[in-house]
């Protein structure tokens, strides 16, 4: 589990001020992560920040695109939409890794809005736009989180379908996300990595690992799951496979095998001799393991993995 250390985050940028009198989106080109005792620009009071996040708007609400400055403490939950946007930018600008910033209550403070080719609108604003006779609006999503590349374009990555990576994703240099790959906010890759499956919120994948087509990793959003799952280096999660435990380095999951924490696993030695039977969670974070399903009796087996994968460097 990553440790959330207290920092002051500060950023200046441009926000969208809705006709309803609220901030609904923001872009911060160069956010900063500063020590807790830093003297902040624009006379932002550190004593006040010790109690809650503070939003500082520096121009009157005369138009939709407005200059703004935001500061927050990273170890306490966000209290405003712009506070939340700043935290998502910290992750996507690689200033913090997944699970290193407090994102509790983020769904409460982020508004559900429409992301369109003409900008960001509240749903009421969108309804008015669509009723205009000359209206032509291409709606990309109605969501709380925008697409990553509409706000931050990380260096050294390839993303085949930019709509499938959310703002708040951390993509390390050398990461390739193919068309069916998906990376949620507060999740990502150290790089280089190949992503053809789903990286759920709270999941971090170490360098040189490959997520096969259609594979899945359990995150921390659905079903109240609080376990943070990670994938070590030189791992392969096969096509249409999945995991509910963390993998150490050099592990392989057979295609089609979904390994939940409570699954019963027969542990074999290098000669395929049974040694013991355990729950999969007892093997979490162990190195150099191969998980497979026996083709005749259907049991899940775990044995030493003699050949950890290596990525094709020409692809990354």
């Amino acid at each position: 589990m990553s440790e959330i250390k207290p920092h002051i985050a500060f950023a200046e940028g441009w926000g969208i001020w809705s006709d309803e009198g609220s901030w609904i989106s923001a872009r911060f080109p160069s956010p900063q992560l500063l020590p807790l005792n830093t003297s902040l620009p624009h006379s932002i009071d550190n004593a006040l920040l010790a109690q809650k996040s503070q939003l500082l708007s520096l121009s009157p609400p005369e138009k939709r695109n407005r200059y703004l400055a935001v500061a927050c403490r990273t170890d306490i939950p966000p209290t405003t939409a712009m506070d939340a946007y700043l935290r998502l930018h910290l992750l996507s600008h690689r200033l913090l890794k997944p699970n290193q910033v407090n994102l509790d209550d983020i769904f409460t403070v982020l508004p559900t809005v429409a992301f369109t080719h003409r900008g960001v609108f509240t749903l009421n604003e969108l309804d008015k736009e669509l009723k205009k006779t000359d209206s032509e609006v291409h709606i990309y999503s109605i969501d709380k989180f925008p697409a990553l590349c509409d706000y931050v374009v990380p260096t050294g990555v390839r993303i085949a379908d930019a709509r499938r990576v959310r703002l708040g994703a951390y993509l390390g240099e050398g990461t390739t996300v193919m068309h069916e790959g998906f990376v949620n906010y507060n999740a990502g890759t150290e790089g280089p990595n190949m992503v053809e499956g789903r990286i759920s919120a709270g999941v971090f994948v170490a360098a040189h690992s490959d997520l096969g087509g259609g594979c899945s990793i359990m995150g921390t959003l659905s079903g109240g799951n609080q376990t943070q799952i990670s994938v070590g280096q030189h791992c392969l999660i096969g096509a249409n496979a999945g995991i509910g435990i963390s993998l150490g380095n050099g592990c392989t999951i057979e295609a089609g095998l979904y390994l939940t924490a409570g699954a019963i696993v027969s542990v074999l030695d290098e000669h395929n001799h049974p040694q013991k039977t355990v729950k999969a969670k007892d093997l979490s974070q162990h190195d150099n393991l191969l998980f497979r399903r026996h083709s005749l009796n259907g049991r899940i087996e775990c044995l030493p993995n003699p050949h950890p994968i290596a990525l094709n460097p020409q692809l990354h």
Side-chain angles (χ1 to χ4, degrees), residues 29 144 289:
K144 294 179 179 291
L289 298 179

Side-chain angles (χ1 to χ4, degrees), residues 157-292:
V157 305
R158 292 195 296 134
I159 305 175
D161 185 348
R163 309 308 304 177
R164 296 183 62 83
V165 183
R166 275 173 151 181
L167 180 65
Y170 180 110
L171 297 184
E173 291 234 5
T175 296
T176 295
V177 183
M178 294 302 292
H179 297 79
E180 295 304 316
F182 171 77
V183 188
N184 211 336
Y185 81 98
N186 195 36
T189 58
E190 183 179 1
N193 294 94
M194 175 62 76
V195 181
E196 298 180 271
R198 188 180 78 225
I199 305 179
S200 302
V203 175
F204 191 63
V205 181
H208 307 291
S209 288
D210 187 333
L211 308 185
C215 79
S216 177
I217 306 172
M218 288 186 182
T220 54
L221 291 181
S222 301
N225 179 34
Q226 297 300 310
T227 302
Q228 294 176 359
I229 294 177
S230 60
V231 177
Q233 296 186 12
H234 296 285
C235 290
L236 171 64
I237 302 178
N240 297 318
I243 56 171
I245 67 169
S246 292
L247 300 181
N249 298 324
C251 293
T252 297
I253 307 293
E254 179 187 71
L257 173 62
Y258 208 115
L259 189 68
T260 60
I264 303 302
V265 179
S266 178
V267 179
L268 313 179
D269 63 18
E270 64 272 16
H271 304 293
N272 290 341
H273 297 149
Q275 301 298 301
K276 58 183 178 180
T277 300
V278 300
K279 289 186 175 180
K281 65 180 181 180
D282 297 327
L283 301 172
S284 181
Q285 298 183 325
H286 290 205
D287 295 338
N288 300 313
L289 298 179
L290 167 64
F291 293 91
R292 68 187 187 190

